[in-house]
């Protein structure tokens, strides 16, 4: 089914939340860290915003050992708002059980883990970031717009300086956006931090890059047409061949998108966000996240209890 056909057939949009990372810097499963006044996890607020925006299905990608607990946390939030929740398991070693891979398989493989549960268009969001209701709403509107080409996708971008809180050394994907608003290039940068007013990051090869504060970056808030899934499957086969040479590499979504852009296989419309992003990377981020959520509850943006209100 093409994207246009899916829109016309009113296929419900799905939100895929990525919650399978081991969170070594956080010291435990940050996907289960309680930030809300009634013990809500951070993912619950993204799900709330998605359902309010018009998404109807939620797929949470997680690890087998966390699935039951996470489902119990999210199910009331989803059903309270008339949505449907499904759980997808992202295994460490999906192809070769004898492999001794030292790290997760990455965001691209997380989406493939959710693929059997996806129908029609879908969004992707990190499970440890708060994006804001306007960003989720804009993504829904762009993804559900009729008449879009089946190989045109959507990315919500933020100026890099509004994505850096108290946390040091985060991962961001620097975006080069054309005057027409379409993504021209995307580069994953690691250890991004602000030092004396200068924001720097490093490439996978170790090159240090200075990033102007207004530079648009991706924090993995995407909108995809269904055609991306087959492209990801093909690219994962290529990755597996390379992974035998370098088992440290991850199958990262921005890298796949950048390759497809360079080949002219896809187009990606960028949508600027208005809210200031925050998230959980290290234990010290918990206090900040709880304060921000409490402020949003006090302002009336969220109910005091997402599970019952």
């Amino acid at each position: 089914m093409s994207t246009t056909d899916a829109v016309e057939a009113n296929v419900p949009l799905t939100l895929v939340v990525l919650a399978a990372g081991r969170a070594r810097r956080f010291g435990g499963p940050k996907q289960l860290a309680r930030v809300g006044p009634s013990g809500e996890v951070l993912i619950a607020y993204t799900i709330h915003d998605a359902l309010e925006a018009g998404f109807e299905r939620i797929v949470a990608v997680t690890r087998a050992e966390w699935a039951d607990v996470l489902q119990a946390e999210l199910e009331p939030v989803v059903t309270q708002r008339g949505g449907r929740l499904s759980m997808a398991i992202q295994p460490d070693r999906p192809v070769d059980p004898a492999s001794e891979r030292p790290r997760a398989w990455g965001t691209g493989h997380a989406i493939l883990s959710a693929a059997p549960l996806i129908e029609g268009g879908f969004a992707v969001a990190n499970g440890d970031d708060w994006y804001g209701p306007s960003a989720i709403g804009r993504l829904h509107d762009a993804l559900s717009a009729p008449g879009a080409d089946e190989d045109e996708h959507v990315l919500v971008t933020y100026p890099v300086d509004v994505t850096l809180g108290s946390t040091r050394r985060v991962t961001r994907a620097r975006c080069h956006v054309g005057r027409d608003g379409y993504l021209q290039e995307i580069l994953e940068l690691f250890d991004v931090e602000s030092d004396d007013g200068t924001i720097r990051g490093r490439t996978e090869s170790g090159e240090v890059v200075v990033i102007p504060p207004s530079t648009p970056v991706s924090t993995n808030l995407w909108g995809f047409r269904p055609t991306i899934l087959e492209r990801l499957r093909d690219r994962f086969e290529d990755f597996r061949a390379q992974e035998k040479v370098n088992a440290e590499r991850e199958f990262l979504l921005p890298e796949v998108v950048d390759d497809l852009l360079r080949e002219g296989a896809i187009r990606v419309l960028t949508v600027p966000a208005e809210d200031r992003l925050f998230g959980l990377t290290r234990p010290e981020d918990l206090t900040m996240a709880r304060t921000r959520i409490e402020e949003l509850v006090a302002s009336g943006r969220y109910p005091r209890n997402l599970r019952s209100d």
Side-chain angles (χ1 to χ4, degrees):
M1 178 181 289
S2 70
T3 300
T4 302
D5 290 342
V7 170
E8 291 176 352
N10 294 318
V11 175
L13 293 178
T14 298
L15 171 70
V16 178
V17 289
L18 308 181
R22 286 203 177 275
R24 290 180 175 87
R25 289 177 292 181
F26 193 78
K30 56 187 173 183
Q31 301 88 337
L32 303 178
R34 301 187 182 281
V35 301
S38 299
E40 295 89 346
V41 295
L42 191 58
I43 304 173
Y45 292 94
T46 297
I47 289 174
H48 171 279
D49 290 340
L51 294 171
E52 291 286 306
F55 290 90
E56 297 182 34
R57 299 175 179 175
I58 308 296
V59 177
V61 183
T62 190
R63 311 184 74 85
E65 60 264 37
W66 301 337
D68 289 345
V69 176
L70 188 60
Q71 182 170 7
E73 290 291 331
L74 301 181
E75 191 80 59
V77 178
V78 176
T79 56
Q80 177 74 18
R81 289 159 184 83
R84 190 177 82 189
L85 174 67
S86 301
M87 306 299 293
I89 305 302
Q90 182 183 13
D92 280 342
R93 293 180 280 275
V95 178
D96 182 4
S99 172
E100 296 183 358
R101 183 173 176 80
R103 62 174 64 195
W105 287 82
T107 48
H109 178 257
I111 296 171
L112 289 178
S113 300
L117 300 170
I118 297 172
E119 297 178 29
F122 65 99
V124 175
N126 287 338
D128 55 358
D129 284 320
W130 181 89
Y131 296 98
S134 67
I136 301 290
R138 287 185 174 190
L139 178 59
H140 176 274
D141 292 346
L143 189 58
S144 59
D149 185 88
E150 63 181 10
D151 281 314
E152 180 172 308
H153 310 288
V154 185
L155 171 63
V156 177
T157 63
Y158 294 77
V160 65
D161 62 337
V162 308
T163 72
L164 304 177
S166 59
T167 291
R168 299 172 63 85
R169 291 178 284 122
V170 296
T171 299
R172 297 288 182 259
R174 185 187 66 187
C175 300
H176 177 204
V177 179
R179 292 184 178 180
D180 59 358
Y182 282 86
L183 186 65
Q184 303 298 311
E185 180 185 65
I186 184 167
L187 176 65
E188 190 93 339
L189 296 174
F190 306 90
D191 297 334
V192 176
E193 62 180 338
S194 179
D195 184 16
D196 293 330
T198 300
I199 301 173
R200 296 183 178 87
R202 65 170 180 82
T203 65
E204 187 177 28
S205 64
E207 178 187 358
V208 176
V209 177
V210 174
I211 315 168
S214 61
T215 301
V217 296
S218 163
T219 56
N220 271 341
L221 186 56
W222 298 88
F224 289 114
R225 318 294 178 186
T227 53
I228 199 68
L229 294 174
E230 190 59 39
R231 296 189 185 280
L232 282 171
R233 292 186 187 100
D234 293 341
R235 298 297 164 139
F236 187 66
E237 293 304 314
D238 296 339
F239 167 82
R240 285 291 293 135
Q242 299 171 10
E243 191 265 347
K244 293 176 181 178
V245 178
N246 182 2
E248 293 284 338
R249 294 194 68 228
E250 292 183 67
F251 186 57
L252 297 174
L253 184 57
E255 292 183 3
V256 177
V257 170
D258 190 58
D259 286 344
L260 293 170
L261 285 172
R262 291 176 185 276
E263 295 172 7
I266 64 171
R267 284 161 52 88
V268 178
L269 176 68
T270 62
V271 178
E274 293 180 338
D275 295 301
R276 185 181 185 93
L277 178 138
F278 65 90
L280 299 174
T281 302
R282 292 174 174 78
E284 56 265 32
D285 296 328
L286 260 177
T287 299
M288 175 274 300
R290 286 169 175 162
T291 299
R292 292 288 302 275
I293 293 295
E294 182 59 45
E295 292 171 349
L296 290 162
V297 170
S299 71
R301 172 60 270 212
Y302 297 117
R304 184 152 291 275
N305 190 333
L306 287 184
R307 301 182 186 92
S308 61
D309 292 351

